Amino acid sequence: GQQLNQSPQSMFIQEGEDVSMNCTSSSIFNTWLWYKQDPGEGPVLLIALYKAGELTSNGRLTAQFGITRKDSFLNISASIPSDVGIYFCAGQLKNSGGSNYKLTFGKGTLLTVNP
Amino acid sequence: NAGVTQTPKFRVLKTGQSMTLLCAQDMNHEYMYWYRQDPGMGLRLIHYSVGEGTTAKGEVPDGYNVSKKKKQNFLLGLESAAPSQTSVYFCASKNGGSDKTQYFGPGTRLLVL
């Protein structure tokens, strides 16, 4: 199946630092979503992006839909301990053959914040 | 609204045993999904449903079956559990409109010995 390359796989940062992670693909996507998964919980949506070039913020989080439609990034500013978790990107392929209800997920970025 | 709920939360099986995982959603969503999550593998789609009584295979369907008799429920069955099916299973649902967002349940942790 289609792959999303998400990087980095893991990050260990100090409280207060900014964080950046991204997803790239060789395929074009119509939609990019960013989820966060807290330990022992299911993923929760953080930000949804629907247009190329779109830049959207949610509190200290900012995400952008790449102009080429093949990538997206997520930034977290001034990290705090509760930012700990796994961050997933997910996208819907442009040429999904009518399967506009399936998402392709990245493998996740594990974020650890040291107080 | 409870959103997406899953039962059980945790289960231990012996190889060869069968079990059914239940997913329920109260958001009147059209689409429902079963994923498994394994370390370093992200979320992999097992089966999904695009409407009542309609199901389809995902990326890793082997060893699993599903049932969608009611709009709000989606069942995942393991007929003969194998150690390779030890995983965390997540159910998700999505409405039928242009919103691509999938809403996830809290997960079922399954250990097959």
Side-chain angles (χ1 to χ4, degrees):
Chain A
Q2 295 294 331
Q3 294 290 326
L4 284 181
N5 300 309
Q6 185 170 351
S7 64
Q9 287 186 341
S10 62
M11 302 181 73
F12 188 93
I13 63 171
Q14 295 294 122
E15 183 177 359
E17 289 183 356
D18 297 342
V19 173
S20 184
M21 60 192 77
N22 69 83
C23 275
T24 61
S25 175
S26 58
S27 300
I28 294 174
F29 284 80
N30 276 335
T31 301
W32 286 96
L33 306 173
W34 284 92
Y35 285 86
K36 182 194 177 194
Q37 183 180 23
D38 289 327
E41 303 291 331
V44 174
L45 182 71
L46 297 173
I47 293 177
L49 303 162
Y50 294 101
K51 297 179 181 178
E54 180 180 355
L55 183 70
T56 298
S57 293
N58 178 7
R60 293 178 295 105
L61 279 61
T62 302
Q64 185 161 27
F65 194 142
I67 292 292
T68 64
R69 310 185 75 156
K70 295 181 179 181
D71 61 349
S72 177
F73 72 75
L74 175 70
N75 287 344
I76 305 173
S77 63
S79 59
I80 59 178
S82 62
D83 289 334
V84 164
I86 303 176
Y87 292 79
F88 289 101
C89 63
Q92 185 191 82
L93 289 166
K94 179 179 185 292
N95 295 319
S96 55
S99 299
N100 59 353
Y101 31 77
K102 288 199 294 183
L103 296 174
T104 301
F105 283 84
K107 294 185 178 181
T109 295
L110 175 62
L111 178 64
T112 304
V113 180
N114 190 33
Chain B
N1 289 348
V4 180
T5 58
Q6 293 182 233
T7 52
K9 286 183 168 45
F10 178 69
R11 184 77 182 269
V12 178
L13 288 179
K14 294 181 180 179
T15 296
Q17 286 185 318
S18 63
M19 78 164 293
T20 300
L21 285 69
L22 171 63
C23 176
Q25 53 92 7
D26 60 2
M27 297 176 282
N28 202 35
H29 284 173
E30 297 292 330
Y31 307 130
M32 297 184 74
Y33 310 81
W34 276 107
Y35 294 89
R36 59 178 290 172
Q37 183 178 31
D38 303 291
M41 300 297 290
L43 291 161
R44 293 184 293 170
L45 183 63
I46 304 172
H47 284 281
Y48 61 101
S49 172
V50 299
E52 199 168 312
T54 303
T55 63
K57 295 179 180 179
E59 182 184 354
V60 288
D62 294 343
Y64 305 95
N65 57 74
V66 288
S67 174
K68 187 82 164 46
K69 294 181 180 178
K70 293 183 179 180
K71 185 176 185 179
Q72 63 269 32
N73 295 339
F74 195 26
L75 305 178
L76 179 70
L78 286 73
E79 290 186 351
S80 179
S84 61
Q85 294 178 303
T86 293
S87 187
V88 182
Y89 292 85
F90 288 100
C91 176
S93 71
K94 171 183 138 23
N95 69 27
S98 58
D99 183 5
K100 305 297 190 291
T101 306
Q102 293 183 15
Y103 297 86
F104 285 83
T108 294
R109 285 146 186 80
L110 176 64
L111 174 62
V112 183
L113 301 175

